[in-house]
Every structure is written in C-alpha cells, then in structure tokens.
Amino acid sequence: MTNTTTKAPGTEIAKTDALASSQGTTTIADTVVQKVAGLATREVPGVHALGSGTARAFSALRERIPGGSASAGQGVAVEVGEKQAAIDLVILVEYGVSIAELARSVRRNVITAVEQMTGLEVVEVNINVSDVHIPGDDDESSDSTRVQ
C-alpha cells in the first residue's frame, strides 16, 4: 500500500509504508513493542531494573515459582497505532549515574530497537525514574551464607 504526501502544490511524493503493501498488512501487538522496549532499556548500563517497587516485588515472587520468570515488559507501557508508537518507562537507576545522560541513552536505544524491529515510528519515550539503587541495600548478603 502506498501513501502519498503533498510537498508543494501539485507535487506528490510516494512514501512506502513498511507494514502494509499490496500483498497484505502486518499488525504489531502492543506486547511485542512492550517487550522490545523493555529489553532495549535493560541493555543500557546504569539501568538497574524496570518497574515500580511493587512491580519489582511481584516479579521477584514470580521468579521463585518453578517455571516462572520476570516479565520482559515490566515497567513499560505502550500505545501502538498503525504506524506509530509511544512508550512510557519506569526505571530504577544505579547510584552515581548521570540521570540525564542515562535518559538520553535509554531513549536512543529504545527508539532504535523498536523502529528497526517493528517498522513503527516511535513518537515519544517518556522516562519516569522511580528510585536509585544503592549497592549493598539488597538482601543479597543472605545468598553469600548459603551452603553450596
């Protein structure tokens, strides 16, 4: 399927839609964009986790259940249209990391991953920093005393 855009009066430019053609259309589910954005966010150094404290607590419980795993889309909300997507992230950052630089890196990585994998145009990526992770605050000390 081809869309036409008018650049100047009487001048039309054909623009090919990556998700629709004369042979059919491709629909991207919200969960696909949510997972891609979540994984792309986790790839950025300085991001400790995604989701609010409550969501992370439920995720920790889910991981302890045999066969259960943390959701790749945790902390990610998306709105997906036919050609565009908007993404909202809730992240927990590592202490000492520049939040402004981290936000730029996350935004760049998420936009690149979603646009390359889905063909959707990402119109915005909103980032909510919910907390700062301080090393040593975890209850990981109990893991070091376990019998192996």
Side-chain angles (χ1 to χ4, degrees), residues 2-108:
T2 308
N3 296 334
T4 57
T5 308
T6 304
K7 191 171 187 176
T11 311
E12 288 189 347
I13 298 172
K15 184 176 111 183
T16 306
D17 188 355
L19 298 174
S21 72
S22 60
Q23 297 164 330
T25 61
T26 303
T27 304
I28 308 290
D30 292 8
T31 55
V32 171
V33 176
Q34 185 181 29
K35 286 180 180 181
V36 170
L39 293 170
T41 301
R42 285 179 177 84
E43 289 175 351
V44 178
V47 174
H48 182 74
L50 273 88
S52 64
T54 306
R56 290 191 313 271
F58 281 121
S59 178
L61 288 174
R62 201 172 27 245
E63 286 179 0
R64 291 184 177 176
I65 298 170
S69 65
S71 170
Q74 175 184 310
V76 182
V78 299
E79 288 182 45
V80 180
E82 291 180 19
K83 299 175 187 173
Q84 297 178 327
I87 302 165
D88 296 322
L89 304 170
V90 178
I91 65 173
L92 172 70
V93 302
E94 295 286 346
Y95 174 77
V97 173
S98 166
I99 294 174
E101 287 296 319
L102 180 65
R104 277 191 281 280
S105 296
V106 167
R107 220 172 249 114
R108 182 175 37 246

Side-chain angles (χ1 to χ4, degrees), residues 127-144:
I127 301 171
N128 178 1
V129 178
S130 65
D131 203 355
V132 175
H133 175 258
I134 301 170
D137 270 359
D138 296 340
D139 292 330
E140 294 174 6
S141 58
S142 63
D143 289 345
S144 63

